């Protein structure tokens, strides 16, 4: 079937995303098997799944970056994407990166405000190479939010950050979403992250949405909240991870040396 | 288990045998040694005047040429040729590279012939060019233009072609138009490659100039050298060669200063 153009849809009603029967093939391999997704305005949805399971493929289709799909996707006109890499233009100062493609005379003022919001005030004229990984991702968030998106698409945005920075960034994202209320689709493989941030968690398995779970715990949430323990086990089970077995497993022998060898041997 | 004492050097650099010279001075020690050896060989009579004049004679000859104004006018004539050729060849190479890199038709129409033509030895074009344009400056400059276009074209084209596709994707998500993509993404992204080409072009321009100025010239550094050859003035020949070297160095340094200015954003700088 010919790819259908992705259009701005005024008739979405209370939905920010309405996708039905989305199929995506790469050659003979079918990655998406007919996915249906609805996201309400202002709703935060996390999409879990295995690596290579089509999560990013679905997100790219919603972003309009991939048009070779079958089925129908309706999304709002104002969309922003945050990728796993901050994807800043190295030759443009931070502020110019944030305002990239922004029209109107107040672009610079809005860009500065967005940078202030993500805690990057004073870095407006810095080169991206001088930013840490976390700071670069903050700039990417500012670039996404300055467009006042109705739909914010996040493709494992914190996947490349260290554990401490990730916690801080999750807090920041929670704050920003509470303030701006975009509809959000967060693609992640981190169950904790999904439970911490989302109103609803979807699991994509074998190219289909296999589980659709509401997170009925008040926000802001704290990580490791007891109320979330049940959700966590349910999601892990869906993803094929048996907590008991994983936790009680014997230490894995090193693939290099013999099991239980008491000394390190160089590989040569 | 045996523990090893790792050697330490807490006072590295303090026990040097020579008094410290400023770093820029140190850099010239090698050249100074070379000059001394050269002068010693000349003074000892091992290098005859007809083989290679000594540094002192060369300096004297250089001074005389300067005093007479001969060297200045030769430098000016040569420099003009190089600058005119660069002013034509660099933009031409850049525009061709952008057209070929950005459009399908341009790629088919321009890139294939250019990639084939680059293996034509530029200096070998001299006879043909003389037949077309005579032996004047037009012939000399056009050979340099031809030689300069290739490094600029090839490096700029490769830079445009190897741009990070993720940046184009980004451009799409923020809704950049085609012109904005060229201005904000393609041109700045291709700049490092272009500057590599420019540096090579500058070096090539002097090389070709040396060659073409030695044929049928009436002025310029090459003419100076050919004249000196007729009269066995090895000192003047060395002055000419040294002048080429100095001019080449200065041009290269200028491009590097330019690079440092416009590529301040490059990681690793």
């Amino acid at each position: 079937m010919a790819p259908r153009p992705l259009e701005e849809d005024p008739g979405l009603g209370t939905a920010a995303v309405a996708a039905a029967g989305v199929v995506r093939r790469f050659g003979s391999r079918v990655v998406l098997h007919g996915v249906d997704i609805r996201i309400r305005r202002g709703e935060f949805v996390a999409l879990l799944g295995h690596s290579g399971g089509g999560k990013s493929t679905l997100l790219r289709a919603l972003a309009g970056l991939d048009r070779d799909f079958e089925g129908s996707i309706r999304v709002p006109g104002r969309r922003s994407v945050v990728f796993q890499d901050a994807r800043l233009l190295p030759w443009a100062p931070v502020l110019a990166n944030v305002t990239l493609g922004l029209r109107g005379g107040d672009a610079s003022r809005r860009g500065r405000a967005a940078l202030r919001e993500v805690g990057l005030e004073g870095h407006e004229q810095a080169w991206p190479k001088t930013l840490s990984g976390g700071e670069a991702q903050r700039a990417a968030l500012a670039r996404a939010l300055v467009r006042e998106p109705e739909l914010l698409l996040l493709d494992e945005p914190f996947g490349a950050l260290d554990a401490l920075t990730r916690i801080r960034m999750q807090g920041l994202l929670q704050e920003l979403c509470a303030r701006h209320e975009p509809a959000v689709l967060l693609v992640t493989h981190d169950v904790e992250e999904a439970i911490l941030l989302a109103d609803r968690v979807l699991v994509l398995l074998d190219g289909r949405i296999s589980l659709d779970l509401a997170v009925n715990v008040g926000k802001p949430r704290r990580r490791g909240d007891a109320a979330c323990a049940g959700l966590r086990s349910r999601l892990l089970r869906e993803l094929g991870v048996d907590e008991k077995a994983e936790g009680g497993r014997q230490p894995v022998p090193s693939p290099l040396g013999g099991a239980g060898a008491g000394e390190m041997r160089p590989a040569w | 288990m045996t523990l090893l004492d790792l050697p330490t050097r807490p006072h590295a650099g303090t026990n040097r045998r020579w008094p410290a010279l400023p770093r820029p001075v140190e850099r010239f020690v090698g050249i100074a040694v070379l000059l001394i050896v050269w002068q010693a060989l000349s003074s000892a009579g091992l290098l005859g005047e007809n083989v290679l004049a000594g540094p002192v004679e060369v300096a004297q000859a250089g001074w005389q040429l300067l005093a007479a104004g001969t060297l200045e006018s030769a430098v000016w004539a040569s420099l003009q040729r190089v600058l005119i050729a660069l002013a034509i060849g660099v933009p031409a190479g850049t525009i061709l590279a952008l057209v070929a890199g950005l459009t399908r038709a341009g790629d088919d129409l321009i890139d294939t012939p250019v990639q084939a033509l680059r293996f034509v030895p530029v200096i070998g074009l001299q006879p043909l060019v003389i037949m077309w344009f005579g032996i004047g400056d037009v012939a000399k400059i056009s050979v340099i233009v031809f030689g300069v276009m290739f490094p600029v074209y090839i490096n700029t084209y490769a830079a445009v072609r190897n741009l990070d596709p993720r940046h184009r994707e980004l451009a799409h998500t923020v809704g950049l138009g085609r012109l904005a993509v060229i201005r904000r993404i393609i041109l700045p992204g291709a700049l490092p490659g272009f500057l590599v080409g420019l540096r090579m072009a500058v070096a090539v321009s002097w090389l070709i100039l040396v060659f073409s100025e030695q044929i049928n010239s009436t002025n310029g550094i090459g003419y100076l050298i050919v004249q000196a050859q007729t009269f066995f003035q090895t000192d003047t020949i060395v002055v000419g060669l040294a002048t080429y070297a100095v001019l080449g160095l200065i041009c290269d340094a200028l491009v590097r200063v330019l690079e440092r200015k416009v590529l301040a954003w490059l990681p690793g700088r």
Side-chain angles (χ1 to χ4, degrees):
Chain A
M1 195 194 292
R4 288 201 202 167
L6 192 76
E7 292 168 354
E8 184 173 342
D9 195 330
L12 278 167
T14 59
V17 173
V22 177
V23 174
R24 177 65 166 100
R25 301 167 210 271
F26 291 94
S28 61
R29 206 164 70 89
V30 183
V31 173
L32 299 178
H33 257 294
V35 171
D36 302 323
I37 284 195
R38 281 187 87 81
I39 301 178
R40 289 190 306 278
R41 299 197 165 177
E43 188 185 25
F44 195 130
V45 172
L47 180 64
L48 282 170
H50 296 291
S51 317
K55 304 190 297 290
S56 295
T57 306
L58 182 58
L59 180 134
R60 293 171 56 80
L62 296 184
L65 290 172
D66 175 9
R67 299 186 162 197
D68 298 331
F69 61 83
E70 298 158 36
S72 91
I73 296 182
R74 301 196 303 175
V75 289
R78 287 206 309 275
R79 302 182 299 274
S80 289
V81 187
V82 178
F83 302 95
Q84 182 170 4
D85 60 308
R87 215 166 282 201
L88 302 174
L89 301 176
W91 49 81
V94 170
L95 179 61
N97 262 291
V98 169
T99 59
L100 185 70
L102 221 54
R103 291 177 190 87
D106 62 343
S108 163
R109 186 190 56 74
R110 284 163 61 196
R112 283 170 199 279
L115 280 172
R116 201 157 41 233
E117 250 192 302
V118 298
L120 278 183
E121 203 173 8
H123 289 76
E124 287 84 358
Q125 298 312 324
W127 295 118
K129 69 170 175 182
T130 64
L131 300 183
S132 69
E135 286 170 334
Q137 208 54 305
R138 280 167 194 264
L141 265 180
R143 181 182 58 204
L145 286 170
V146 78
R147 281 144 238 282
E148 290 162 19
E150 294 156 290
L151 173 61
L152 179 59
L153 297 161
L154 306 167
D155 191 359
E156 299 193 22
F158 312 136
L161 301 179
D162 66 86
L164 294 177
T165 308
R166 191 178 314 144
I167 293 174
R168 253 182 243 126
M169 291 295 287
Q170 287 164 348
L172 174 67
L173 179 62
Q174 215 166 358
E175 253 173 59
L176 293 171
C177 289
R179 200 173 315 144
H180 295 268
E181 299 188 315
V184 183
L185 181 71
L186 168 71
V187 162
T188 178
H189 50 232
D190 182 345
V191 174
E192 299 292 344
E193 183 170 276
I195 297 173
L196 184 69
L197 298 171
D199 302 316
R200 199 149 56 91
V201 182
L202 305 177
V203 176
L204 184 68
L205 266 189
D206 301 323
R208 288 188 185 88
I209 302 293
S210 70
L211 185 65
D212 184 341
L213 211 57
V215 184
N216 294 314
V217 180
K219 287 195 206 174
R221 300 173 193 141
R222 283 175 312 157
R223 57 189 55 252
D225 206 322
C228 300
L231 282 170
R232 184 172 179 278
S233 321
R234 177 75 188 88
L235 288 169
L236 284 174
R237 216 168 39 243
E238 182 69 19
L239 289 163
V241 182
D242 187 345
E243 275 179 289
K244 285 200 191 95
E246 303 298 320
R249 213 159 53 173
Q250 291 300 309
V252 184
S254 154
L256 280 181
E263 56 186 313
M264 293 271 284
R265 280 178 201 279
W268 58 88
Chain B
M1 196 185 304
T2 332
L3 297 185
L4 294 178
D5 248 333
L6 291 178
T8 62
R9 42 172 203 184
H11 309 296
T14 56
N15 58 345
R16 40 194 306 159
R17 260 160 274 174
W18 310 98
L21 288 170
R23 191 73 192 117
V25 178
E26 281 183 334
R27 306 264 311 163
F28 284 96
V29 168
I31 290 181
V33 169
L34 191 71
L35 285 175
I36 289 166
V37 171
W38 179 12
Q39 182 60 50
L41 288 174
S42 289
S43 303
L46 292 170
L47 271 178
E49 185 109 352
N50 289 345
V51 180
L52 190 64
V56 174
E57 286 106 318
V58 169
Q60 281 170 345
W63 179 250
Q64 279 166 13
L65 287 168
L66 265 179
T70 323
L71 191 57
E72 290 96 315
S73 63
V75 165
W76 178 233
S78 294
L79 197 60
Q80 258 182 321
R81 292 185 183 121
V82 163
L83 291 180
I84 293 172
L86 285 172
I88 301 169
V90 172
T94 311
I95 290 168
L96 285 176
L98 289 177
V99 174
L102 294 178
T103 64
R104 185 71 173 275
D107 199 21
D108 296 341
L109 217 62
I110 297 171
D111 192 56
T112 321
V114 172
Q115 298 292 350
L117 278 178
R118 63 187 272 219
F119 292 105
V120 171
V122 175
I123 287 170
L125 288 176
Q126 190 90 350
L128 210 52
V129 168
I130 288 176
M131 284 164 59
W132 294 341
F133 302 116
I135 55 169
D137 267 355
V138 179
K140 290 181 180 51
I141 291 171
S142 47
V143 176
I144 304 175
V145 167
F146 198 72
V148 156
M149 270 167 50
F150 287 101
V152 172
Y153 173 89
I154 287 161
N155 286 284
T156 309
Y157 175 81
V160 170
R161 275 310 165 103
N162 294 328
L163 284 175
D164 192 338
R166 295 176 312 161
H167 288 148
R168 297 221 188 182
E169 206 172 82
L170 170 74
H172 183 87
T173 66
V174 299
L176 286 191
R178 179 146 173 87
L179 268 181
V181 169
I182 292 177
R183 205 168 59 82
R184 304 291 300 271
I185 302 210
I186 294 173
L187 291 183
L191 192 58
F194 164 78
L195 284 169
V196 169
L198 180 62
R199 242 177 111 182
M200 286 168 69
V202 167
V204 162
S205 67
W206 284 104
L207 271 179
I208 303 174
L209 181 80
V210 172
F211 179 81
S212 62
E213 273 191 346
Q214 291 184 4
I215 299 172
N216 293 314
S217 279
T218 51
N219 59 8
I221 302 168
Y223 171 71
L224 204 69
I225 291 177
V226 173
Q227 287 293 99
Q229 184 197 1
T230 323
F231 301 110
F232 284 94
Q233 294 166 329
T234 54
D235 50 359
T236 304
I237 293 180
V238 176
V239 170
L241 291 176
T243 310
Y244 274 134
V246 168
L247 287 172
L249 273 176
I250 291 174
C251 287
D252 192 61
L254 287 177
V255 178
R256 273 198 294 188
V257 168
L258 181 72
E259 266 184 356
R260 211 170 310 150
K261 270 217 137 57
V262 299
L263 296 184
W265 52 267
L266 257 192
R269 259 170 204 262

